[in-house]
Amino acid sequence: MSAFNVAKFGGTSVANFEAMSRCAAIIEDNPSTKLVVSSACSGVTNLLVELALGVQNPDDRQAILDKVRAIHYSIIEQFSEQEKTRYSIDTILTTLSSMAEAASFQSGDKLTDHIVACGELMSTHILTQLMIERGINAVRFDIREVLRTNSDHGKAEPVIADISALAQQKLYPLCQQHVVVTQGFIGSDVEGNTTTLGRGGSDYSAALIAEAVKASGLEIWTDVPGIYTTDPRIAPKATPIPEISFSEASEMANFGAKILHPSTLLPALRHQIPVFVGSSREPEKGGTWIRKQVESAPQFRALALRNNQTMVTLRSPDMFQTYGFLAQVFNILAKYQISVDLITTSEVSVSLTLDQTNTSGQAPELPADVKAELEQLCLVEVEYNLSLVALIGNKMSAKKGYAKQVFGALEDFNLRMICYGASPHNLCFLVGEAEAKKAVEVLHRELFE
Ligand code: ASP
Ligand code: MG
């Protein structure tokens, strides 16, 4: 099979005409790029989420719709052939307007997915036309024909086998003739309802599609030139990482480095597709390659920070249950499909954090019925305003004294929960949101500078 590259562009990469043109240049530069996955134009998904939550006042609603329209029109205005694309955008905006009105009466997950999907549906119309005007043989494809998910609106799970079959049947042949432009983030369930993979889900879409067409490479173009040792806005001396392993990068994505959607690397790893992360604004700066095998495996690789953590502590008060307590707790969580990130346990209590990658992006709540059921079993305490700091590396505990080095640097911080041991690639802890950045800064200085 010839080289088949999938290129994904994030919201800031397709924010306006200039940004989109840079994407087109990147696509032109790599003749093996046959499939392009795009996010919504920067800011659009947030506006759509607002509409989906239900805006009561019709004028306010119209104002948001006007903003959405303006973002797209300002790009179309630069085209030589404007009519067709403007018509496509108008058609979507008309539907959007009625859905926004419906949401003002009653919002819901299913309607939200239909509304937020409009961002990617619009951006891909525009990107396709822009590419055509540059002479690229581009064609737009509605990924809902291929990206089959379950019906879990807002955070749908892909059905891998179906995606693969549908992609081979509908998408792969098209990629032989054209450069195909399609949507990230969105999919559809078996009944044809639009679904989404959760905020930031375009990366994951791109990886799922790359897997399904058996791509030989996946490029994720964003607004930072690759993965850094930590967020340079927190630690200005943070440096780019040229090469990182799948395991390390997955830990980073899972633990909050906002560069990649946490699930992105699963499909790439399954099919050993090397992933490149770079900045579409400055492609010449290079970026980070994520591969199975890498040359160096340093003890400390990077630090990631994730805010909006919800910690739930469960205590079985009279220790009467000498066994089975954890099993009961997790049975309840499983029954309500509550996904857990971190866990620490003692014999009679367990602390855990709730998974947070839902479409709203807010701190996850422990639903009242789940709480009530857990309370039949134990005392339940829920805390908000916490941040998770994750230290990523390799065989961290292999070297003596590492704990002293890490925790010594953090002696002035009140660490709420510490997890280490399950993965050789990560150590993480919770701190109060107010002091989280400081903790990252101090630790970065100690371990990386
Ligand atoms: N447009 C969606 C979002 O803003 C998906 C993505 O950009 O990855 O979350
Ligand atoms: Mg994004």
Side-chain angles (χ1 to χ4, degrees), residues 6 35 37-38 113 141-151 155-168 170-171 182-198 201-213 267 270:
V6 175
L35 188 52
V37 178
S38 178
D113 272 354
F141 180 80
D142 191 327
I143 203 62
R144 290 174 296 182
E145 287 187 39
V146 162
L147 210 130
R148 187 67 69 248
T149 69
N150 68 5
S151 306
K155 196 175 188 273
E157 289 291 335
V159 186
I160 310 293
D162 291 3
I163 296 173
S164 157
L166 290 164
Q168 286 304 323
K170 300 185 177 185
L171 193 53
T182 196
Q183 304 80 26
F185 184 47
I186 71 172
S188 82
D189 67 8
V190 69
E191 280 162 23
N193 294 306
T194 299
T195 55
T196 62
L197 303 179
S202 294
D203 296 336
Y204 188 25
S205 298
L208 288 166
I209 300 165
E211 173 182 42
V213 298
R270 280 196 292 263

Side-chain angles (χ1 to χ4, degrees), residues 120-158:
E120 273 72 9
L121 291 173
M122 289 189 279
S123 67
T124 45
H125 271 297
I126 297 181
L127 181 59
T128 309
Q129 181 60 26
L130 183 139
M131 287 166 61
I132 290 173
E133 297 207 351
R134 291 175 65 112
I136 304 173
N137 180 14
V139 65
R140 178 178 180 273
F141 180 80
D142 191 327
I143 203 62
R144 290 174 296 182
E145 287 187 39
V146 162
L147 210 130
R148 187 67 69 248
T149 69
N150 68 5
S151 306
D152 199 355
H153 289 281
K155 196 175 188 273
E157 289 291 335

Side-chain angles (χ1 to χ4, degrees), residues 18-96:
E18 289 69 34
M20 268 197 193
S21 303
R22 285 193 290 268
C23 299
I26 287 170
I27 296 161
E28 285 160 352
D29 253 9
N30 186 349
S32 57
T33 300
K34 307 210 168 87
L35 188 52
V36 173
V37 178
S38 178
S39 288
C41 301
S42 183
V44 169
T45 309
N46 288 345
L47 293 170
L48 298 175
V49 168
E50 234 179 293
L51 288 175
L53 291 174
V55 178
Q56 304 303 323
N57 182 327
D59 292 339
D60 295 346
R61 222 161 45 228
Q62 192 54 49
I64 297 177
L65 285 164
D66 288 344
K67 270 194 214 165
V68 172
R69 181 191 313 269
I71 292 173
H72 297 99
Y73 270 26
S74 74
I75 308 177
I76 298 174
E77 270 158 25
Q78 319 253 359
F79 291 171
S80 13
E81 157 69 48
Q82 304 184 3
E83 202 80 348
K84 212 180 77 207
T85 317
R86 194 171 285 135
Y87 177 78
S88 308
I89 299 301
D90 284 345
T91 311
I92 294 172
L93 283 169
T94 309
T95 326
L96 181 58

Side-chain angles (χ1 to χ4, degrees), residues 7-16 19-20 23 26 36-43 45 120 123 127 184 200-203 206 219-224 259 278-281:
K8 181 259 167 178
F9 296 94
T12 49
S13 299
V14 295
N16 51 46
M20 268 197 193
C23 299
I26 287 170
V36 173
V37 178
S38 178
S39 288
C41 301
S42 183
T45 309
E120 273 72 9
S123 67
L127 181 59
S202 294
D203 296 336
E219 295 170 357
I220 305 272
W221 294 98
T222 166
D223 52 4
V224 282
I259 312 236
S279 161
S280 64
R281 184 178 277 281

Side-chain angles (χ1 to χ4, degrees), residues 189-404:
D189 67 8
V190 69
E191 280 162 23
N193 294 306
T194 299
T195 55
T196 62
L197 303 179
R199 288 308 300 270
S202 294
D203 296 336
Y204 188 25
S205 298
L208 288 166
I209 300 165
E211 173 182 42
V213 298
K214 303 192 167 63
S216 50
L218 170 61
E219 295 170 357
I220 305 272
W221 294 98
T222 166
D223 52 4
V224 282
I227 300 175
Y228 276 60
T229 49
T230 197
D231 185 339
R233 284 167 303 188
I234 300 176
K237 289 201 177 140
T239 49
I241 303 169
E243 211 190 32
I244 185 170
S245 68
F246 276 120
S247 332
E248 294 169 281
S250 306
E251 298 286 355
M252 282 195 77
N254 272 320
F255 291 106
K258 287 223 189 63
I259 312 236
L260 290 176
H261 181 278
S263 309
T264 309
L265 295 170
L266 296 173
L269 183 60
R270 280 196 292 263
H271 281 254
Q272 309 269 318
I273 306 169
V275 180
F276 173 82
V277 182
S279 161
S280 64
R281 184 178 277 281
E282 307 166 295
E284 68 288 348
K285 277 205 174 163
T288 302
W289 278 102
I290 308 168
R291 297 195 174 96
K292 180 156 189 266
Q293 299 289 355
V294 291
E295 301 261 304
S296 81
Q299 186 186 19
F300 301 124
R301 177 77 86 179
L303 273 168
L305 169 66
R306 184 158 85 184
N307 293 324
N308 273 333
Q309 297 298 294
T310 304
M311 175 163 96
V312 179
T313 302
L314 308 165
R315 286 192 184 83
S316 171
D318 10 288
M319 297 195 196
F320 69 95
Q321 278 163 323
T322 46
Y323 56 85
F325 172 60
L326 287 180
Q328 290 187 40
V329 165
F330 283 97
N331 268 335
I332 297 172
L333 295 172
K335 187 170 106 190
Y336 290 95
Q337 300 188 326
I338 303 282
S339 165
V340 167
D341 275 352
L342 299 187
I343 314 169
T344 56
T345 64
S346 74
E347 188 158 346
V348 292
S349 67
V350 50
S351 289
L352 41 91
T353 62
L354 302 180
D355 179 81
Q356 182 227 12
T357 41
N358 54 3
T359 293
S360 79
Q362 279 142 6
E365 302 270 346
L366 187 66
D369 44 350
V370 186
K371 184 158 186 266
E373 195 161 333
L374 286 168
E375 272 164 351
Q376 314 241 312
L377 189 69
C378 56
L379 296 171
V380 181
E381 194 188 336
V382 184
E383 287 175 73
Y384 300 96
N385 302 322
L386 292 165
S387 295
L388 185 156
V389 177
L391 172 60
I392 317 295
N394 295 281
K395 298 191 191 135
M396 272 183 271
S397 59
K399 226 161 86 191
K400 279 191 198 127
Y402 94 99
K404 186 169 172 222

